[in-house]
Amino acid sequence: MEKLTFYALSAPEKLDRIGAYLSERLIRDVSRHRYGYVCIAMEALDQLLMACHCQSINLFVESFLKMVAKLLESEKPNLQILGTNSFVKFANIEEDTPSYHRSYDFFVSRFSEMCHSSHDDLDIRTKIRMSGIKGLQGVVRKTVNDELQANIWDPQHMDKIVPSLLFNLQHVEEAESRSPSPLQATEKEKESPTELAERCLRELLGRAAYGNIKNAIKPVLIHLDNHSLWEPKIFATCCFRIIMYSIQPQHSHLVIQQLLGHLDANSKSAATVRAGIVEVLSEAAVIAASGSVGPTVLEVFNTLLRQLRLSIDYALTGSYDCVAGVSTKIIKEHEERMFQEAVIKTIGSFASTLPTYQQSEVMVFIMNKVPLPSLQQSIEAGKAGENRNRLTQIMLLKSLLQVSVGFQCSNMLTALPSAFLDRLLSAALMEDAEIRLFVLEILISFIDRHGNRQKFSTISTISDISVLKLKVDKCSRQDTVFMKKHGQQLYRHIYLICKEESNVQAHYEALYSMLMLISIELANEEVVVDLIRLVLAVQEIAQINEDNLTAYNRCALFALGAAYLNLISQLTTVPTFCQHIHEVIQMRQKEAPYLLPEDVFVERPRLSKSLDRLGPEVFFWQSKISEVLGGSGYNSDRLSTPYIPQLTDEDRLSKRKSIGETISLQVEVESRNSPEREQRAPAEEITYETLKKAIVDSVAVEEQERERRRQVVEKFQKAPFEEIAAHCGARATLLQSKLNQIFEITIRPPPSPSGTITAAYGQPQNHSIPVYEMKFPDLCVY
């Protein structure tokens, strides 16, 4: 061997003939089953390959590859393993010159086949599979960096390599479940096909460039589909964890886009399959946070929300097709619900990876998808339409809550833009109690920037606020501007939510948290005064009971007011204010404990039906609070003014049921807001007949207008020129006279009381009236 190597090195041009001879010998020995000589020939080839790196090695390699192919074609496992080992050694050699004509198609196919070996003997099967994986690893290493050789990233190669590796990875679950932990595994178990396959897959993905990611990921998705591996989702999650950690971070968004596309492609698959894909998406998004989620952030959320909407439709219709009953698949509602929860969780995962400004955009995007009747959106009619709208509203608000929980922004003006806040508060006035609760929770998660929310989860009248350990910061300038801009809007909605009869304990807890968080996070002196007025107005709702609320609702409002005033009095640290509140609470404990949270907000609330016969000593009095706070520098005039919310058109229209009701409301609003409503007759009741008459009248008016236009056109076409000129001249003269009058007034204004002044040239000149003395018509003044 030494002599042969020396000869090959000293006469490189002879290498191809040496290779051809050894190849011929090996092929003959294989066919004659002389395996000892086969091993000698391969050993000789291996040593020559290692020693000779000259330019003429290409032809020798052709002979070598022909011999390896011959060994791999053999049915003998030992020969297959021998051929693979030689190929791996060859793959690790860096050649000086590229090869233009070499093909590895056979090797990819054969090694992939070996990866799927099903030999009866377990040890032999394991060895063959490991050889196949090593062979694929060798092919990748040999071709991945050489542009002139076969492109390993082509789908024809990837569709063989990736599933072969995944097939061996699949069995990692079984192996791992038997061994307690990787640390306790023996050396033999460590070097298993699964370990090798994972290493090879990581290496393959790590080498993938931007344009090759798609070809590498597509076979993974197909493999998971073909083997129904989305449903348990353990293996699918494991695969994508490997993928996300192996690829270059800047390519993360490509994987996520492919998963989203796959989710769309499977939109009519079983809910469990779709839920598996969404769970994998969620995992991938968390890992992608360190890289980039990509430029099409809103497209991600658009796809997820579209899938959510489809799932709602499937659950309602019971079919994957538009027409119920056409689909042969049976839809299970609980599975669809599980899928919806998975989508909502994924929306939260995605949002948590984004920077603050993008989170804000996403929340506006989701809110714009919520169907709201008050904003002239397309609301579906009928029972099915109502159900669909309600489910859509709930699911989208749940998604919004998931995003808002992880949202941290110091500036409330940027966190809650006007358009977003308007839409959100519109949903707060809907009749559905669940929707109102979601809106309150979303607002609370925005306002709570110091994690105080949990301290107000239960409503109580504690005597010492210091035990809560509240984190309080001074109200910033931006927060003051926010409350000046949106404060009244927030108060009005809190007031109106308090009047809802369908409120339960969760609503009152959320309202309490909201009032307290505004007091801690956004309050200056003016806001505190307004909140106290608001809570006293809420007490009045329960006291007067114009809305016929139940005993529970009334007691709950009394208790809510007591708990809030108890805490705000301690926050303001005005002794006389604290004393008044404490006195009323003590009086309630003696005479009316059912007006305190400790008796109302429990599993079995103790209520009283004699709420109309309560004495004045158990109420908080505006006059008294105004007096004690006014003495400490608070605005007593504002405090003594009862809070009355201004009902807007949006509030009135938020609960409309039908188009007819909307029209009558609009007519009522118009007549109520009209300045000369005293002189106007009462609004006419709109019926079918009046609408019909209005339509007929408008048709008649249109006919008259059309006839008049026709006459004018005919006149200008047929009348003599003199007549047309005279007619136009008369109108022009009238117009000119009017203009002259206007110019006269404008150019020569009446003299001012100060008389005349002398111009620079000594001539007397009228002094024009100053702007502030001029009398303009009302419509001209801005």
Side-chain angles (χ1 to χ4, degrees):
M1 198 61 226
E2 283 175 14
K3 288 180 181 178
L4 179 62
T5 307
F6 177 76
Y7 176 67
L9 285 170
S10 56
E13 68 278 0
K14 302 288 186 185
L15 253 178
D16 56 326
R17 287 180 63 193
I18 295 170
Y21 173 75
L22 282 171
S23 173
E24 187 187 325
R25 282 291 304 267
L26 182 129
I27 291 165
R28 190 176 64 206
D29 290 337
V30 167
S31 59
R32 291 178 181 177
H33 306 290
R34 297 163 73 179
Y35 300 125
Y37 289 110
V38 171
C39 293
I40 292 167
M42 283 313 296
E43 182 66 30
L45 277 169
D46 288 348
Q47 288 195 29
L48 285 171
L49 266 178
M50 293 297 155
C52 305
H53 288 185
C54 57
Q55 291 183 352
S56 57
I57 200 173
N58 270 335
L59 291 173
F60 175 69
V61 167
E62 288 304 314
S63 302
F64 169 78
L65 290 176
K66 197 190 293 180
M67 292 165 69
V68 171
K70 185 70 180 173
L71 291 178
L72 292 175
E73 283 173 352
S74 165
E75 291 179 3
K76 297 280 181 185
N78 290 340
L79 292 186
Q80 293 173 15
I81 293 163
L82 181 68
T84 306
N85 291 341
S86 290
F87 183 83
V88 170
K89 287 176 190 171
F90 159 68
N92 290 326
I93 295 171
E94 289 186 18
E95 294 181 57
D96 297 335
T97 52
S99 169
Y100 301 94
H101 57 279
R102 205 178 291 159
S103 171
Y104 293 97
D105 292 11
F106 166 78
F107 294 100
V108 171
S109 300
R110 185 67 188 123
F111 289 137
S112 299
E113 198 179 323
M114 287 167 71
C115 287
H116 290 86
S117 169
S118 55
H119 198 280
D120 296 336
D121 189 323
L122 180 63
D123 286 341
I124 294 173
R125 182 167 72 225
T126 303
K127 284 177 182 173
I128 294 173
R129 285 187 182 181
M130 285 180 70
S131 291
I133 296 164
K134 285 176 184 172
L136 289 177
Q137 196 173 22
V139 173
V140 171
R141 283 178 183 170
K142 198 69 187 164
T143 57
V144 79
N145 293 324
D146 194 344
E147 292 176 6
L148 295 168
Q149 297 196 13
N151 188 0
I152 202 70
W153 301 107
D154 283 346
Q156 59 181 12
H157 299 310
M158 282 288 113
D159 290 348
K160 293 172 186 171
I161 294 172
V162 174
S164 303
L165 298 174
L166 292 178
F167 174 77
N168 283 282
L169 260 179
Q170 251 174 279
H171 299 277
V172 75
E173 306 299 328
E174 297 167 20
E176 280 184 0
S177 63
R178 282 200 300 271
S179 62
S181 75
L183 294 171
Q184 295 172 5
T186 62
E187 281 299 317
K188 189 179 178 184
E189 280 178 330
K190 276 183 185 174
E191 196 55 30
S192 64
T194 48
E195 295 281 336
L196 199 57
E198 183 179 332
R199 204 158 60 241
C200 184
L201 184 62
R202 285 182 187 278
E203 187 180 333
L204 177 71
L205 293 164
R207 293 169 182 267
Y210 182 87
N212 304 326
I213 293 284
K214 189 176 179 182
N215 287 349
I217 303 301
K218 195 175 178 184
V220 177
L221 298 171
I222 292 168
H223 181 84
L224 295 171
D225 282 347
N226 292 344
H227 296 271
S228 305
L229 294 169
W230 292 112
E231 290 176 40
K233 80 175 180 283
I234 299 161
F235 178 69
T237 309
C238 170
C239 276
F240 275 91
R241 212 175 271 139
I242 291 169
I243 290 167
M244 295 306 289
Y245 281 121
S246 301
I247 59 171
Q248 294 169 42
Q250 65 269 29
H251 300 157
S252 299
H253 66 277
L254 292 173
V255 179
I256 286 167
Q257 280 174 2
Q258 276 197 268
L259 275 167
L260 287 167
H262 198 65
L263 181 60
D264 273 344
N266 280 278
S267 56
K268 289 191 178 179
S269 299
T272 46
V273 172
R274 282 177 284 135
I277 300 172
V278 168
E279 289 276 357
V280 170
L281 255 172
S282 178
E283 290 273 347
V286 173
I287 297 166
S290 57
S292 65
V293 180
T296 53
V297 170
L298 291 181
E299 189 52 43
V300 171
F301 290 93
N302 197 24
T303 303
L304 290 170
L305 294 177
R306 184 168 62 245
Q307 290 298 325
L308 202 56
R309 188 72 189 254
L310 278 172
S311 176
I312 291 166
D313 286 346
Y314 295 159
L316 287 171
T317 58
S319 164
Y320 288 118
D321 298 300
C322 297
V323 184
V326 172
S327 177
T328 52
K329 294 178 184 174
I330 298 167
I331 291 178
K332 294 173 183 171
E333 201 169 332
H334 73 276
E335 287 182 356
E336 288 297 339
R337 187 58 52 87
M338 182 189 69
F339 168 71
Q340 289 158 17
E341 293 298 332
V343 171
I344 290 165
K345 180 189 160 200
T346 304
I347 286 172
S349 297
F350 263 116
S352 64
T353 67
L354 299 175
T356 306
Y357 75 94
Q358 279 190 329
Q359 284 183 330
S360 190
E361 281 177 15
V362 166
M363 287 187 284
V364 172
F365 180 74
I366 295 173
M367 195 65 226
N368 286 338
K369 297 266 184 187
V370 179
L372 296 172
S374 58
L375 300 171
Q376 289 78 42
Q377 275 200 323
S378 54
I379 291 288
E380 297 177 55
K383 184 74 176 165
E386 279 179 26
N387 285 342
R388 185 174 284 108
N389 289 327
R390 181 182 174 278
L391 280 172
T392 306
Q393 287 159 353
I394 287 171
M395 288 302 165
L396 290 175
L397 288 171
K398 262 190 185 179
S399 306
L400 193 57
L401 182 59
Q402 278 284 336
V403 179
S404 66
V405 164
F407 183 70
Q408 288 293 327
C409 183
S410 55
N411 188 348
M412 291 296 290
L413 278 170
T414 53
L416 289 168
S418 296
F420 174 79
L421 191 61
D422 290 346
R423 289 185 63 83
L424 187 60
L425 291 174
S426 285
L429 297 179
M430 298 185 76
E431 288 183 351
D432 193 288
E434 196 176 353
I435 290 173
R436 289 201 308 276
L437 187 58
F438 276 126
V439 173
L440 286 170
E441 291 291 345
I442 290 164
L443 285 168
I444 286 166
S445 63
F446 275 118
I447 297 168
D448 181 25
R449 291 168 293 180
H450 293 90
N452 290 315
R453 165 74 172 99
Q454 290 306 314
K455 294 161 188 174
F456 304 119
S457 54
T458 54
I459 308 178
S460 62
T461 51
I462 55 170
S463 55
D464 186 10
I465 198 172
S466 61
V467 297
L468 294 177
K469 295 180 182 175
L470 299 173
K471 294 176 186 172
V472 185
D473 274 353
K474 193 172 181 291
C475 182
S476 67
R477 184 174 164 277
Q478 290 98 328
D479 290 344
T480 306
V481 174
F482 173 79
M483 287 308 288
K484 277 192 175 172
K485 190 175 180 184
H486 298 297
Q488 293 304 323
Q489 197 181 5
L490 283 171
Y491 306 147
R492 187 174 75 245
H493 283 80
I494 291 170
Y495 180 85
L496 293 172
I497 291 170
C498 286
K499 295 175 81 169
E500 293 289 345
E501 196 176 341
S502 56
N503 287 344
V504 293
Q505 184 174 335
H507 290 86
Y508 295 114
E509 285 171 354
L511 285 164
Y512 174 66
S513 297
M514 179 117 167
L515 287 165
M516 283 314 305
L517 288 168
I518 292 174
S519 308
I520 291 170
E521 297 278 352
L522 306 169
N524 51 23
E525 193 177 298
E526 190 180 323
V527 172
V528 169
V529 167
D530 281 342
L531 286 169
I532 292 169
R533 289 171 61 224
L534 171 63
V535 170
L536 291 170
V538 168
Q539 177 186 259
E540 199 177 334
I541 293 172
Q543 200 175 343
I544 299 170
N545 197 23
E546 287 178 349
D547 298 283
N548 295 322
L549 296 173
T550 62
Y552 173 76
N553 293 128
R554 292 176 72 185
C555 289
L557 290 178
F558 281 127
L560 175 68
Y564 175 73
L565 289 171
N566 174 53
L567 280 187
I568 198 73
S569 65
Q570 294 181 55
L571 278 174
T572 53
T573 62
V574 177
T576 48
F577 183 30
C578 291
Q579 188 184 347
H580 169 64
I581 301 301
H582 190 59
E583 282 171 4
V584 175
I585 289 172
Q586 277 187 326
M587 192 58 73
R588 286 188 181 184
Q589 284 169 346
K590 285 180 190 173
E591 297 187 10
Y594 46 82
L595 301 184
L596 292 172
E598 285 78 7
D599 274 35
V600 178
F601 301 117
V602 288
E603 194 176 337
R604 290 182 181 174
R606 292 180 284 280
L607 307 175
S608 168
K609 292 185 179 175
S610 59
L611 292 173
D612 297 322
R613 294 195 293 274
L614 292 168
E617 66 279 356
V618 295
F619 295 121
F620 302 101
W621 291 100
Q622 189 146 6
S623 54
K624 178 71 177 170
I625 292 172
S626 171
E627 181 189 323
V628 295
L629 284 178
S632 299
Y634 285 85
N635 187 340
S636 56
D637 292 340
R638 193 172 177 82
L639 266 168
S640 56
T641 312
Y643 174 76
I644 300 168
Q646 296 176 344
L647 290 176
T648 63
D649 295 352
E650 183 257 328
D651 295 334
R652 291 194 185 93
L653 298 179
S654 63
K655 292 182 185 175
R656 68 190 188 204
K657 286 286 196 307
S658 64
I659 294 169
E661 198 173 311
T662 306
I663 293 168
S664 63
L665 274 169
Q666 284 170 339
V667 170
E668 185 189 344
V669 168
E670 190 184 330
S671 62
R672 222 183 263 174
N673 295 346
S674 167
E676 53 280 311
R677 67 171 182 268
E678 290 83 2
Q679 290 82 16
R680 197 188 279 185
E684 181 187 354
E685 187 184 350
I686 294 181
T687 61
Y688 171 73
E689 290 299 326
T690 54
L691 285 171
K692 184 178 175 184
K693 187 180 174 186
I695 292 165
V696 171
D697 288 351
S698 65
V699 170
V701 170
E702 280 179 21
E703 284 292 332
Q704 287 173 9
E705 183 66 21
R706 204 176 291 119
E707 179 62 27
R708 192 182 65 76
R709 284 181 191 163
R710 192 186 59 73
Q711 287 173 1
V712 170
V713 171
E714 195 175 324
K715 180 181 177 182
F716 275 88
Q717 283 176 343
K718 296 180 180 176
F721 175 74
E722 290 78 12
E723 187 183 331
I724 294 169
H727 174 71
C728 292
R731 292 183 68 180
T733 310
L734 180 67
L735 179 63
Q736 190 61 47
S737 65
K738 291 282 183 193
L739 284 171
N740 287 340
Q741 285 177 22
I742 292 163
F743 290 144
E744 190 74 27
I745 294 163
T746 312
I747 295 166
R748 300 182 187 212
S752 69
S754 58
T756 59
I757 60 167
T758 308
Y761 296 102
Q763 297 165 343
Q765 176 182 333
N766 283 338
H767 183 31
S768 61
I769 297 174
V771 174
Y772 54 83
E773 288 184 12
M774 287 185 186
K775 299 291 181 190
F776 290 102
D778 289 346
L779 290 173
C780 295
V781 181
Y782 178 67

